[in-house]
């Protein structure tokens, strides 16, 4: 089937998470016909609160804290402003992230809202699109393809439990465990890749295989949501983090979440080294509460008498950073007509909050590249790879480097996060965060990098800024911290484990 600019294409989308739903929305609004195949059952759309009880076995992080950082906000505001408005109406807390003493940057913002509400808003918007069908409760099993006579297979659909879903274009939005990138690599090996170099791969051979398989992030999470009591004075300002505690061997970050019936919710994530058997005790809610109460920065906001838990403690582990580009070692596409979006393409440590930004920006790039290539889907695939590649490479590189840096710090190694030449990633994340407490410019620039608006190079290449920021951070970090402000040392914390 030939498809072209203005011609309605049929698109088969595998997976209805953030990436699949956003793809369907963008493509439908560009005039295409979409079928989304999603394994999990449909949930009711009448009330955002109902989304918390949706059955989402396919998304283990469904109930884990999610913050939409700046790029995700910009993507929604540009491509789906109705979804952004719907989230605000549903109670999402919008953080305007510019420092009060800096020139306001309209892109520097975050939307603090729980993931079920985000999916609910995307699904609700899709429900109004007549050209979208979401087949819930159906499982994708394979790609439908012709091996053809020329090199490079032609993919023309999805084989699912309920039958065949054909498409001029097929989208892999199956999330971080998607088998499709591996399947596509096998097809390219068996039948040849699509002729013509698309991009130079960053990793090849064994390294590409390891990166595709995923590099352990080295952390496990224990999260819990709280509702602030009405008399609690804590209110969102220009930070999407309500409080943070650096234990030295673990960390705690309290995120703003949405408002529910006018009451402010917050979500706490305590991150610990993966495999730390003693800290697994954080699954115990009594222990979790005691850790909060014993940690001054957290206790000030959600300590006894200030907030009430609204969820159990939810653990999450087994996380890996992966990057699975659908190109061969010599830079050619593995198959025709397939686009890989969201976590299926790249997943980084969720502690950095980049996943939804990448997923949304890739999803909304898809209709643009299809429109720009006049029916030549292979050319659109190349354009998509070139447009989405740099951000993915930037975040994957930073994410993995940060994971290793934090691992070293938690293992007790002395690491100077202000030594920006030696530790560029820790400097951007931790050094600039300290500088931001004294220097509004550092706040703005760190926010743009952490929010996926600026690449690492924007900071790494600016030597005068880094020097000034390091000096500001040195002053902040040199301030004496009273004993009463320190989070518990590891032994003191473990002494809190209920017997
Ligand atoms: C603990 C945790 C916290 C996070 N916090 C944040 C955050 O604060 N901010 C942020 O931006 N990102 C965060 N992320 C990342 C974010 O969740 C992901 O980037 C995002 O879910 C990617 O969306 P996706 O659609 O690509 O994948 P998914 O959301 O995983 O969706 C994949 C979909 O495919 C479906 N599926 C799978 N296999 C099949 C099949 N065979 N047939 C049919 N359907 C199938 C699944 O049911 C699912 O609906 C977090 C991740 C984790 C793990």
């Amino acid at each position: 089937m030939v498809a072209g600019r203005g011609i309605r294409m049929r698109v088969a989308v595998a997976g209805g998470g953030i990436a699949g739903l956003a793809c369907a929305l963008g493509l439908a609004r560009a005039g295409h016909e979409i079928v989304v195949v999603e394994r999990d059952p449909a949930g009711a759309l009448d009330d955002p609160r109902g989304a918390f009880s949706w059955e989402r076995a396919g998304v283990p992080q469904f109930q884990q804290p999610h913050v939409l950082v700046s790029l995700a906000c910009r993507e929604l505001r540009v491509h789906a402003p109705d979804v952004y408005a719907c989230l605000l109406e549903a109670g999402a807390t919008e953080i305007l992230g510019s420092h009060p003493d800096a020139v306001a940057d309209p892109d520097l913002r975050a939307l603090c809202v729980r993931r079920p509400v985000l999916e609910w808003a995307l699904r609700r918007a899709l429900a109004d699109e007549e050209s979208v069908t979401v087949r819930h409760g159906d499982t994708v099993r394979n790609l439908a393809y012709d091996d053809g006579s020329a090199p490079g297979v032609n993919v023309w659909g999805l084989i699912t439990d309920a039958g065949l879903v054909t498409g001029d274009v097929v989208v892999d939005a199956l999330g971080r465990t998607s088998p499709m990138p591996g399947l596509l690599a096998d097809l390219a090996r068996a039948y040849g890749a699509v002729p013509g170099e698309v991009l130079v791969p960053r990793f090849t051979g064994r390294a590409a295989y390891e990166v595709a398989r995923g590099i352990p992030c080295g952390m496990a999470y224990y999260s819990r949501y709280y509702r602030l009591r009405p008399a609690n004075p804590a209110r969102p300002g220009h930070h999407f983090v309500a409080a943070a505690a650096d234990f030295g061997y673990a960390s705690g970050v309290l995120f703003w979440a949405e408002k529910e019936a006018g009451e402010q919710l917050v979500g706490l994530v305590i991150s610990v080294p993966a495999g730390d058997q003693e800290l697994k005790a954080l699954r115990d809610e009594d222990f979790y509460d005691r850790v909060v109460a014993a940690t001054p920065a957290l206790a000030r906001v959600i300590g006894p008498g200030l907030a009430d838990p609204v969820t159990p403690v939810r653990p999450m582990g087994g996380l890996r950073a992966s990057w699975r580009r659908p190109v061969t070692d010599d830079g050619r596409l593995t198959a025709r007509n397939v686009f890989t979006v969201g976590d299926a393409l790249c997943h980084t440590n969720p502690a950095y909050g980049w996943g939804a930004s990448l997923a949304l920006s890739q999803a909304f790039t898809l209709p643009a590249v299809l429109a720009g290539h006049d029916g030549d889907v292979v050319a659109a695939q190349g354009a998509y790879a070139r447009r989405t590649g740099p951000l993915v490479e930037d975040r994957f590189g930073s994410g993995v480097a940060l994971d290793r840096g934090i691992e070293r710090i938690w293992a007790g190694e002395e690491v100077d996060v202000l030594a920006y030449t030696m530790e560029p990633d820790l400097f951007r994340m931790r050094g600039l965060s300290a500088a931001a407490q004294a220097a509004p410019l550092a706040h703005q620039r760190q926010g743009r990098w952490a929010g996926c608006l600026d690449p690492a190079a924007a900071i790494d290449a600016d030597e005068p800024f880094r020097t000034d920021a390091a000096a500001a951070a040195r002053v902040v970090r040199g301030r004496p911290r009273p004993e009463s402000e320190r989070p518990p040392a590891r032994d003191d914390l473990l002494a809190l484990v209920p017997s």
Side-chain angles (χ1 to χ4, degrees):
M1 189 186 300
V2 178
R5 189 197 296 273
I7 297 177
R8 198 175 163 89
M9 284 204 253
R10 189 172 155 85
V11 185
V13 178
I18 295 173
L21 296 173
C23 270
L25 193 63
L27 289 164
R29 290 177 177 180
H32 303 293
E33 185 193 345
I34 330 295
V35 178
V36 179
V37 182
E38 167 54 47
R39 191 169 47 192
D40 286 346
L45 290 178
D46 43 349
D47 173 9
R49 301 290 128 214
F52 290 101
S53 48
W54 286 356
E55 278 178 55
R56 292 296 274 128
V59 182
Q61 73 269 31
F62 193 60
Q63 304 283 1
Q64 292 285 344
H66 276 65
V67 170
L68 299 181
V69 299
S70 299
L71 179 61
C73 293
R74 188 170 76 187
E75 290 294 324
L76 284 177
R77 276 159 42 89
V78 170
H79 299 287
D82 54 323
V83 173
Y84 195 84
C86 175
L87 288 168
L88 289 175
E89 208 178 302
T93 300
E94 186 183 44
I95 304 292
L96 299 178
S98 292
H99 192 285
D101 297 330
V103 178
D105 178 342
D107 280 339
L108 209 50
R109 62 180 77 209
L111 210 53
C112 304
V113 61
R114 284 189 280 174
R115 158 88 186 235
V117 182
L118 171 62
E119 277 201 18
W120 169 84
L122 286 167
R123 283 197 197 172
R124 216 182 74 152
L126 277 182
D128 294 335
E129 299 293 335
E130 282 179 8
S131 61
V132 179
T133 307
V134 184
R135 270 166 57 165
H136 282 282
D138 190 9
T139 300
V140 175
R141 297 292 176 190
N142 209 337
L143 293 166
Y145 59 90
D146 296 328
D147 46 22
S149 46
V153 300
N154 296 312
V155 174
W156 51 268
L158 297 169
I159 298 169
T160 79
D161 281 354
L164 197 59
V165 179
T166 58
D168 308 299
V169 166
V170 171
V171 176
D172 172 12
L174 289 179
R176 63 184 189 276
T177 55
S178 174
M180 282 193 189
L183 181 61
L184 290 167
D186 289 346
L187 290 177
R189 268 191 290 275
Y191 301 108
V194 180
E197 183 186 297
V198 166
L199 39 76
V200 181
R202 169 79 176 73
F203 297 100
T204 57
R206 181 77 199 168
Y209 169 78
E210 294 293 343
V211 159
R213 203 167 63 116
I215 300 168
C217 294
M219 289 181 201
Y221 302 89
Y222 297 87
S223 72
R224 191 173 208 189
Y225 276 95
Y226 296 80
R227 179 183 295 114
L228 301 190
R229 292 197 180 164
N232 189 323
R235 288 291 166 270
H238 59 283
H239 292 283
F240 62 84
V241 168
D246 180 0
F247 296 87
Y249 51 89
S251 72
V253 180
L254 185 68
F255 297 98
W256 296 109
E258 72 274 17
K259 275 194 175 145
E260 196 178 58
E263 290 182 315
Q264 183 69 52
L265 301 179
V266 288
L268 175 62
V269 179
I270 300 183
S271 311
V272 306
D276 188 319
Q277 298 303 318
E278 290 177 318
L279 291 175
K280 277 191 179 158
L282 283 161
R283 287 166 185 264
D284 181 314
E285 280 161 18
D286 279 351
F287 178 50
Y288 201 89
D289 288 346
R290 290 178 192 191
V291 170
V292 168
T295 307
L298 303 177
R300 262 198 299 278
V301 187
I302 52 170
L306 291 171
D308 300 295
V310 292
T311 65
V313 173
R314 293 195 171 105
M316 177 105 204
L319 294 165
R320 290 169 171 263
S322 60
W323 181 13
R324 299 178 296 175
R325 295 207 295 187
V327 291
T328 55
D329 277 2
D330 52 5
R332 292 182 293 152
L333 293 168
T334 44
R336 293 185 184 82
N337 309 328
V338 185
F339 292 82
T340 311
V341 293
D343 280 7
L345 177 59
C346 174
H347 181 68
T348 51
N349 186 336
Y352 314 131
W354 297 333
S357 287
L358 267 61
L360 290 171
S361 68
Q362 290 153 8
F364 292 128
T365 297
L366 193 45
V369 294
L370 288 174
H373 288 86
D374 208 14
D376 184 342
V377 179
V378 171
Q381 284 177 272
Y384 174 81
R386 286 186 292 273
R387 272 176 67 166
T388 58
L391 176 62
V392 168
E393 180 165 352
D394 182 65
R395 294 296 139 167
F396 181 79
S398 286
V400 171
L402 279 169
D403 291 346
R404 295 297 78 80
I406 293 169
E407 224 168 32
R408 284 187 289 132
I409 292 173
W410 285 358
E413 199 180 304
E414 282 292 321
V415 179
D416 181 2
V417 302
L418 302 185
Y420 52 72
T421 314
M422 300 293 291
E423 307 286 354
D425 299 281
L426 287 170
F427 175 75
R428 271 181 256 111
M429 183 64 93
R430 293 198 168 189
L432 285 186
S433 292
Q437 293 175 39
L441 179 64
H443 171 92
Q444 300 294 98
R445 294 200 54 185
Q446 205 265 352
R448 285 191 64 88
W449 170 75
C452 301
L453 296 173
D454 286 345
I459 290 178
D460 296 356
D462 191 342
E463 174 74 27
F465 166 71
R466 293 199 299 173
T467 306
D468 289 352
R474 230 165 250 119
V475 172
V476 170
R477 289 170 69 92
R479 287 177 193 149
R481 191 154 60 144
E483 191 69 38
S484 59
E485 281 301 304
R486 295 200 185 136
R490 186 182 170 97
D491 287 348
D492 297 336
L493 186 121
L494 290 173
L496 301 172
V497 177
S499 45

